């Protein structure tokens, strides 16, 4: 298990390989499809994004409200394909990493490689466990989106696997090839 500090430094991104098991510690941001759509509408109007995505990691999650004494409720990954329409442009804006579940489209895998970014997969079905790795939560933008609002999370030893590395090696595509044999 490789310990990775956030935000991601370019040399760290370059050193990651498909299949690497990692534990992320530091700051990441939440954003799902509604937040992506709004951010890109803002960018198209020439308005600043509510967060500077350069070097940052977005976690595709819509957390549930916290129980008493907790900082967040369940916080499992959302299916990443829902963000595929927005991802190439987000990468152009400097986004460096994403966390979600499931595979990405060929266009997104190509954009990840072109922009030297990384896509991490988190294990679906482990929302309560993943929430225990989140130490702080702060609402940042788009409060009207409810669970899809952008939040700043401080995570400690958040478990992920490198699903698509900065060279475009895709664990899902490789897995399908192996299965087809």
């Amino acid at each position: 298990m490789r310990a990775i500090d956030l935000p991601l430094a370019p040399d760290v991104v370059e050193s990651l390989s498909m299949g690497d098991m990692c534990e992320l510690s530091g700051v990441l941001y939440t954003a799902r499809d509604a937040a992506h759509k709004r951010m890109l509408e803002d960018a198209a109007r020439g308005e600043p994004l509510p967060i500077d995505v350069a070097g940052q990691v977005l976690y595709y999650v819509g957390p549930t409200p916290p129980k008493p004494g907790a900082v967040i409720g369940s916080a499992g990954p959302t299916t990443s394909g829902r963000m595929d329409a927005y991802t190439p442009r987000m990468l152009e804006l400097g986004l460096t990493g994403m966390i979600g579940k499931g595979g990405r489209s060929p266009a997104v895998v190509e954009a990840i490689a072109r922009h030297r970014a990384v896509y991490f997969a988190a294990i679906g079905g482990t929302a309560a466990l993943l929430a225990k790795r989140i130490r702080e939560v702060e609402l940042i933008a788009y409060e009207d989106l409810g669970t899809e609002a952008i939040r700043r999370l401080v995570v400690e030893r958040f478990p992920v696997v490198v699903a698509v590395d900065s060279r475009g090696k895709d664990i899902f595509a490789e897995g399908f090839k192996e299965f087809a044999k």
Side-chain angles (χ1 to χ4, degrees):
M1 191 70 70
R2 181 166 172 196
I4 304 289
D5 290 325
L6 301 174
L8 290 170
D11 62 320
V12 171
V13 173
E14 292 290 331
S15 73
L16 294 170
S17 296
M18 177 195 75
D20 286 352
M21 300 293 292
C22 303
E23 289 182 330
L24 307 178
S25 296
V27 172
L28 54 83
Y29 294 90
T30 69
R32 286 184 19 176
D33 36 327
H36 277 72
K37 181 178 186 288
R38 192 171 294 174
M39 281 192 285
L40 293 183
E41 289 170 349
D42 290 349
R45 287 191 300 271
E47 297 173 13
L49 299 182
I51 57 170
D52 180 2
V53 297
Q56 297 299 328
V57 174
L58 292 181
Y59 181 25
Y60 303 150
V61 62
T64 63
K67 292 180 179 171
V71 297
I72 197 166
S74 291
T78 297
T79 302
S80 299
R82 294 172 56 184
M83 273 51 72
D84 281 2
Y86 310 107
T87 300
R89 179 67 178 128
M90 293 297 290
L91 291 167
E92 288 173 9
L93 294 170
L95 182 65
T96 304
M98 299 142 288
I99 303 169
K101 70 177 178 185
R104 306 308 297 264
S105 70
V108 168
V109 171
E110 188 277 326
I112 289 169
R114 183 171 6 104
H115 294 284
R116 311 309 281 174
V118 63
Y119 167 57
F120 298 103
I123 306 300
T126 60
L129 173 65
L130 292 173
K132 291 180 181 183
R133 301 298 176 101
I134 300 169
R135 303 295 182 231
E136 295 176 30
V137 179
E138 176 187 4
L139 180 68
I140 298 296
Y142 310 143
E143 183 175 5
D144 61 301
L145 295 179
T147 193
E148 291 202 36
I150 296 175
R151 290 173 173 76
R152 178 184 177 272
L153 305 182
V154 176
V155 298
E156 185 178 323
R157 298 182 61 207
F158 192 88
V160 294
V161 63
V162 176
V164 179
D165 65 27
S166 64
R167 293 164 299 285
K169 290 205 56 158
D170 179 352
I171 201 166
F172 295 99
E174 295 298 318
F176 288 132
K177 285 181 197 172
E178 282 298 311
F179 183 75
K181 290 180 185 177

